[in-house]
Amino acid sequence: MRVNWKSYNPGKFYDELISSPGYARKPARRLASYLRSLNHEDLLRKKTAAELAIKTMGISFTVYSDAGNIDREWPMDIIPRLITASEWDQTSKGLEQRLRALNCFIHDIYNDQKVLKDKLLPADLIFDSGNFRKQCVGIKPRYNVWAHICGTDLIKDEKGQFHVLEDNLRVPSGVSYMLENRRVTKRVFPELFDSNYNIRQVTDYPAELLDMLSSLSPRQVKYPSIVVLTPGIYNSAYFEHSFLAQRMGAELVEGGDLVVENEKVYMRTIGGLEQVDVIYRRIDDLFLDPEVFNKDSVLGVRGLFNAWQKGNVALANAPGAGVADDKIIYTYVPKIIKYYLDEDPILPNVPSYMCVEKAQRDHVLKNLDKLVVKPANESGGYGMLIGPQASKAELEEFARRIKANPRNYMAQPLISLSTVPILGERSVEPRHVDLRPFILQGAKSYVTPGGLTRVAMVKGSYVVNSSQGGGSKDTWIVEDF
Amino acid sequence: MLLSRVAERVYWQARYLERAENTARILSVFSALLMDLPRGTKVGWDTLIQITGNEKDFAQRFKQAQERNVMRYLLSDRSGVSVVDMLAQTRENARTTREIMPTEAFELINELYFMAKDRAVQGVDRGERHELLEGIVADCQQIWGLLAGTMSRDDAYSFIRLGRSIERADMTTRIVDVGSSNLLPDIDDKGTISDTREPYENVLWMNVLRSQSAFQMYRQHVRQRIKAHEVVKFLLQDEQFPRATAHNLTTMTKVLSKLPNHSKVTWQVGKVRKMVREADVDRLLRRGLLRHLDAVQLEIAQVHVKIADTWFLPNK
């Protein structure tokens, strides 16, 4: 049986592939007709081949559960997602602009605090934030950049317009899967890479990351010593830590491999101690250094913070960068862009209500069943309320939580995420997606062409997190034609 | 410079891979041996358990050391010593050192593990066994070939060679154990072999050589018909044959000279090497070979202790 686009019906949602049943959007036409040329059985065979490739390539992620941690194969839907180059170029500018402004903001917060003196936002919001690190006050990292690697989540609304859902400035993950998804797609659909589409390559990312990290080195040496600091093999993103270290030719280290002496960081090698210049850390702030943060941390390195403060080692991202990825601060980002750069934001936020402000809070409490409520400092989609899908008890529980701690919550209307086709058991079916591009900032800036598309594999669901049953897709930025 | 933790993992990765291969080889030779013996001959399957040093654990799991139980224990069960377990360990160490190994090496190790895991249970039966064991040995060889063909001769490669050599040096002494143990019935108490048994002894030693892919090389270099003392000398003392104990100890000496702070380890390797090279095999075969091999194994274990002390746990 052939793929039948006439029976593919995304309903009221914006579908990125078709404009109405049977009619593909212009950039997607070649993909749609190529898929139509295949039997559903052919597609399922390709799906099996992709799953096998993922298994043998060892592309995995770890799921935490009561029964122990399980190494699972990475879930990927084989049908690629398309975005045109012209649309992407504009989006990419917006992402770069956003990160530049956020870095100005973080640097200001830990230094002059002009933004607070000018009352752009209430000072309490900063000082009460769980991500504000008072130990960082007065520190001036190279280029005044704190968040060197950012993963910004984007969604498309009913009109197909990109909006920023959140910025991840602490230890964003997913970029290795973006790269591996492309590798798998090349194996599965080599025909499509032929003449059908001119697809922007993503493989440069590790080289760009290495250049950026090298640009942070305090020692001016030709080949600075760069390490990726991982919490270890039981971390859910261990695959990615290892992958990036391998692709950059950097050492993958655990806390126990590092030691601080004379305010400098060294790694333990078979030939003795060797100085480290740049640490791409994939450990949360609070576990970095038991002397300064969480005293019980066994993942970190004693004395690391001080070595960084003295400028003897670079940390990416810098401790404290998370102060700007709080979901309440998020609501101020358009103003932050205007304030620091005197530019209009290129990418819009999703409209948001801050529960800390009374009028907005009352609106949220009155309309809880229509809104999505998010806590300020959670990630991975945990601790969220999706109003329209919640039970009465859940709604009441969230109303209580918001009243008890309004600063910790913000709410957004439920945006109807765009859909793209996935390969189901019997046919292609529409599913909701988001997109996480990765932005680098050091001596210069870089944005990945596309990013990691996450897809809610369950019909109607908005939950795209891989830890909760989400899948992923290869994302193609294709030249317009 | 190589991280101590990574050095330890690549070293163990190589050891486990070599151990998986050698266990597969031993199971393979034992199974082949059966077919060459007269029908009804009882073979001591428990010898295999002794060689791997797991009598106690085995006794807790099984009542009898007969073929099926021993095959399960050493091939398919999650006993901690089976081929599948060794490959799982190899894979785990490879998974945690992916950043420094060739990508294809991890993919091959990964595939081999899944293949062995999926087919091991069928391999317990004689019908599927040969093909499975040969397949595992061939895949291991492919992985070694890939590493040799794609890795720079850096410190990481040195630790892979150290791991493989120490494991081979040790395993070959254990395989000699197989040949010289009381495998066959009717050996009298003095350990001498009556005339009627001699043909079977030769069959046994031939299979021991085959398990190490050593039969042809033995033929070419020893130019003697298969005789116990020549085979034992070849497997323990030959400097040219890559699976011989002496050759592996010599290899270790060469590899060690390239690593920093190697003197304690080199000294210990030299000690074992002397024991192996200067052993009077003819005399030992009459009396005391097993005890000598035990002593060699203990000294090889000390080599490992010195390696760990020198490089794996510095400053701790």
Side-chain angles (χ1 to χ4, degrees):
Chain A
M1 199 180 69
R2 306 211 169 255
V3 173
N4 181 0
W5 293 111
K6 284 187 181 127
S7 60
Y8 173 89
N9 185 5
K12 66 182 167 104
F13 300 105
Y14 179 88
D15 190 86
E16 297 180 19
L17 191 110
I18 61 154
S19 47
S20 60
Y23 293 93
R25 293 180 194 279
K26 195 175 166 210
R29 276 178 204 158
R30 288 179 191 173
L31 176 64
S33 67
Y34 169 76
L35 292 174
R36 202 171 46 226
S37 75
L38 299 173
N39 281 325
H40 195 70
E41 291 69 33
D42 294 337
L43 283 169
L44 289 178
R45 255 197 301 283
K46 283 182 180 287
K47 181 183 173 187
T48 310
E51 284 164 357
L52 190 67
I54 285 168
K55 189 172 169 181
T56 54
M57 285 153 77
I59 310 171
S60 64
F61 73 109
T62 311
V63 184
Y64 305 112
S65 77
D66 296 339
N69 302 325
I70 311 146
D71 206 29
R72 273 212 205 141
E73 273 110 50
W74 174 248
M76 178 192 146
D77 180 73
I78 58 173
I79 302 176
R81 174 190 190 181
L82 303 190
I83 298 168
T84 59
S86 55
E87 181 182 12
W88 187 253
D89 288 340
Q90 191 63 9
T91 308
S92 168
K93 273 186 204 134
L95 291 165
E96 199 184 306
Q97 173 197 51
R98 200 170 165 97
L99 184 59
R100 258 189 300 136
L102 285 170
N103 272 311
C104 292
F105 171 72
I106 304 167
H107 192 69
D108 186 24
I109 289 294
Y110 288 117
N111 284 277
D112 302 338
Q113 301 186 340
K114 273 195 343 239
V115 69
L116 302 181
K117 285 166 199 154
D118 290 343
K119 298 198 168 16
L120 190 80
L121 71 174
D124 293 355
L125 274 188
I126 301 298
F127 302 125
D128 295 350
S129 161
N131 291 322
F132 175 73
R133 306 271 171 262
K134 59 178 189 302
Q135 298 88 340
C136 295
V137 170
I139 293 175
K140 293 181 166 54
R142 198 137 191 227
Y143 314 115
N144 299 343
V145 170
W146 293 66
H148 310 91
I149 300 131
C150 168
T152 292
D153 291 346
L154 300 177
I155 55 168
K156 280 192 164 189
D157 66 6
E158 299 85 341
K159 299 190 188 75
Q161 159 72 43
F162 272 125
H163 289 259
V164 176
L165 192 62
E166 62 182 57
D167 308 286
N168 295 282
L169 303 172
R170 285 169 282 178
V171 282
S173 62
V175 75
S176 58
Y177 301 114
M178 170 188 88
L179 295 167
E180 293 293 66
N181 282 356
R182 178 62 54 85
R183 209 150 72 97
V184 173
T185 310
K186 283 178 182 168
R187 286 195 187 186
V188 177
F189 288 129
E191 312 90 324
L192 275 174
F193 286 81
D194 253 6
S195 52
N196 282 295
Y197 283 108
N198 202 349
I199 305 157
R200 290 198 185 162
Q201 58 94 8
V202 293
T203 37
D204 255 0
Y205 180 81
E208 293 286 346
L209 179 61
L210 183 66
D211 282 354
M212 187 280 288
L213 292 171
S214 302
S215 79
L216 306 179
S217 172
R219 281 197 301 180
Q220 296 308 304
V221 288
K222 196 165 176 202
Y223 299 108
S225 164
I226 296 172
V227 302
V228 179
L229 175 60
T230 173
I233 57 167
Y234 299 110
N235 184 270
S236 61
Y238 179 79
F239 168 81
E240 174 157 307
H241 307 160
S242 157
F243 177 93
L244 290 173
Q246 184 196 41
R247 292 302 158 89
M248 289 193 290
E251 301 291 343
L252 180 67
V253 303
E254 296 172 12
D257 295 325
L258 299 180
V259 61
V260 176
E261 281 181 13
N262 304 321
E263 303 182 324
K264 290 180 178 135
V265 183
Y266 298 88
M267 54 184 166
R268 303 175 206 269
T269 76
I270 56 165
L273 297 180
E274 194 170 298
Q275 191 176 344
V276 173
D277 298 302
V278 182
I279 301 176
Y280 175 21
R281 52 100 174 193
R282 298 292 300 254
I283 295 183
D284 283 336
D285 282 0
L286 295 180
F287 295 97
L288 272 180
D289 182 350
E291 244 169 44
V292 182
F293 302 117
N294 190 339
K295 300 202 170 12
D296 305 323
S297 170
V298 290
L299 303 175
V301 187
R302 196 166 285 281
L304 178 58
F305 188 89
N306 185 45
W308 172 65
Q309 191 169 25
K310 290 278 156 35
N312 291 332
V313 70
L315 282 171
N317 291 350
V323 71
D325 89 355
D326 174 310
K327 291 191 178 61
I328 311 302
I329 302 301
Y330 157 87
T331 58
Y332 290 93
V333 174
K335 284 187 192 170
I336 287 173
I337 292 172
K338 186 82 189 158
Y339 179 81
Y340 289 103
L341 307 180
D342 194 26
E343 293 170 13
D344 289 321
I346 300 170
L347 280 171
N349 264 10
V350 173
S352 313
Y353 306 100
M354 286 164 276
C355 297
V356 71
E357 294 189 13
K358 187 170 181 315
Q360 299 191 28
R361 176 167 69 242
D362 290 345
H363 174 83
V364 170
L365 289 170
K366 212 185 290 170
N367 296 287
L368 258 190
D369 58 340
K370 299 182 195 76
L371 298 170
V372 178
V373 182
K374 296 177 179 177
N377 289 319
E378 289 280 347
S379 62
Y382 292 102
M384 263 172 57
L385 173 85
I386 298 181
Q389 296 168 13
S391 69
K392 206 170 162 234
E394 284 170 319
L395 290 173
E396 282 167 6
E397 168 62 22
F398 261 79
R400 195 161 49 242
R401 285 194 211 171
I402 291 168
K403 283 179 206 157
N405 188 2
R407 192 263 170 248
N408 198 39
Y409 292 94
M410 63 92 108
Q412 294 168 337
L414 183 64
I415 299 245
S416 304
L417 301 191
S418 59
T419 55
V420 298
I422 63 143
L423 182 62
E425 273 311 309
R426 284 190 198 81
S427 57
V428 285
E429 296 164 26
R431 290 291 184 273
H432 296 294
V433 284
D434 78 353
L435 178 66
R436 177 177 290 183
F438 295 85
I439 308 102
L440 303 178
Q441 192 183 347
K444 56 191 182 70
S445 295
Y446 170 81
V447 182
T448 52
L452 177 66
T453 287
R454 300 185 300 176
V455 48
M457 297 302 282
V458 177
K459 189 176 178 186
S461 167
Y462 279 17
V463 181
V464 295
N465 307 82
S466 54
S467 53
Q468 298 183 51
S472 72
K473 277 177 170 294
D474 188 16
T475 309
W476 292 1
I477 305 304
V478 295
E479 298 304 333
D480 301 51
F481 46 82
Chain B
M1 187 64 82
L2 187 64
L3 285 175
S4 296
R5 181 179 47 79
V6 175
E8 183 170 9
R9 288 187 183 160
V10 293
Y11 166 86
W12 276 112
Q13 178 190 326
R15 282 200 77 159
Y16 282 124
L17 183 63
E18 181 66 23
R19 199 177 293 176
E21 180 183 331
N22 272 313
T23 309
R25 283 172 178 277
I26 292 179
L27 294 177
S28 178
V29 68
F30 223 82
S31 306
L33 176 64
L34 289 179
M35 291 183 247
D36 284 337
L37 294 176
R39 269 179 58 184
T41 311
K42 282 198 179 150
V43 183
W45 280 93
D46 53 334
T47 313
L48 289 190
I49 304 297
Q50 288 157 20
I51 288 167
T52 52
N54 296 295
E55 299 94 320
K56 255 193 194 163
D57 181 60
F58 182 84
Q60 281 175 359
R61 293 167 191 260
F62 299 100
K63 280 192 190 131
Q64 280 185 314
Q66 24 92 331
E67 179 172 358
R68 195 174 171 76
N69 291 346
V70 172
M71 286 305 298
R72 277 181 54 190
Y73 186 69
L74 293 178
L75 178 61
S76 62
D77 278 9
R78 303 315 291 256
S79 56
V81 299
S82 68
V83 173
V84 171
D85 275 324
M86 293 301 111
L87 291 173
Q89 290 284 358
T90 308
R91 176 175 179 265
E92 191 57 19
N93 280 288
R95 188 169 88 83
T96 53
T97 49
R98 283 174 83 162
E99 70 280 4
I100 61 146
M101 302 289 287
T103 311
E104 301 85 348
F106 176 76
E107 291 180 12
L108 285 179
I109 289 169
N110 202 30
E111 273 178 67
L112 169 57
Y113 164 70
F114 283 116
M115 184 277 278
K117 186 170 77 106
D118 293 346
R119 291 181 49 195
V121 175
Q122 290 105 284
V124 169
D125 298 328
R126 283 194 193 181
E128 305 261 334
R129 192 187 298 163
H130 179 71
E131 196 192 325
L132 173 66
L133 293 172
E134 292 246 301
I136 290 172
V137 171
D139 284 359
C140 289
Q141 291 290 305
Q142 188 189 4
I143 292 164
W144 293 123
L146 180 89
L147 295 177
T150 57
M151 275 189 87
S152 290
R153 273 33 181 178
D154 55 8
D155 292 336
Y157 194 69
S158 291
F159 277 92
I160 286 177
R161 291 184 74 192
L162 278 187
R164 183 174 64 173
S165 297
I166 192 174
E167 191 65 32
R168 269 192 193 165
D170 179 75
M171 260 301 191
T172 305
T173 65
R174 291 170 193 269
I175 282 172
V176 172
D177 267 351
V178 180
S180 49
S181 305
N182 289 346
L183 267 186
L184 299 171
D186 305 323
I187 294 181
D188 64 40
D189 348 325
K190 292 186 198 94
T192 51
I193 296 153
S194 59
D195 290 347
T196 51
R197 299 190 25 74
E198 200 179 322
Y200 296 117
E201 281 298 325
N202 288 345
V203 166
L204 171 65
W205 284 110
M206 197 188 302
N207 277 296
V208 166
L209 284 172
R210 285 214 170 103
S211 80
Q212 295 302 295
S213 305
F215 186 54
Q216 269 179 292
M217 292 300 134
Y218 174 89
R219 278 281 192 227
Q220 286 173 30
H221 295 280
V222 182
R223 296 173 187 276
Q224 282 268 359
R225 57 166 297 160
I226 306 286
K227 278 186 185 154
H229 65 276
E230 292 295 344
V231 176
V232 174
K233 272 187 208 168
F234 184 74
L235 288 177
L236 289 182
Q237 297 178 327
D238 194 85
E239 284 289 346
Q240 315 298 328
F241 183 65
R243 308 189 76 82
T245 299
H247 173 90
N248 281 290
L249 293 168
T250 305
T251 302
M252 288 183 79
T253 311
K254 286 184 200 152
V255 173
L256 286 167
S257 70
K258 290 198 271 182
L259 292 170
N261 316 320
H262 61 85
S263 59
K264 278 186 190 154
V265 188
T266 303
W267 185 87
Q268 178 65 22
V269 172
K271 186 178 168 191
V272 194
R273 209 169 148 224
K274 193 157 181 274
M275 272 175 89
V276 169
R277 281 155 53 120
E278 294 178 3
D280 181 347
V281 170
D282 294 324
R283 191 176 55 81
L284 285 172
L285 262 178
R286 286 194 296 277
R287 186 171 297 274
L289 179 61
L290 293 187
R291 205 175 318 130
H292 179 72
L293 292 175
D294 277 350
V296 170
Q297 284 159 18
L298 285 175
E299 292 299 335
I300 291 176
Q302 279 305 307
V303 172
H304 168 73
V305 170
K306 296 277 189 298
I307 288 176
D309 282 350
T310 305
W311 292 298
F312 300 162
L313 308 159
N315 319 315
K316 276 184 192 166

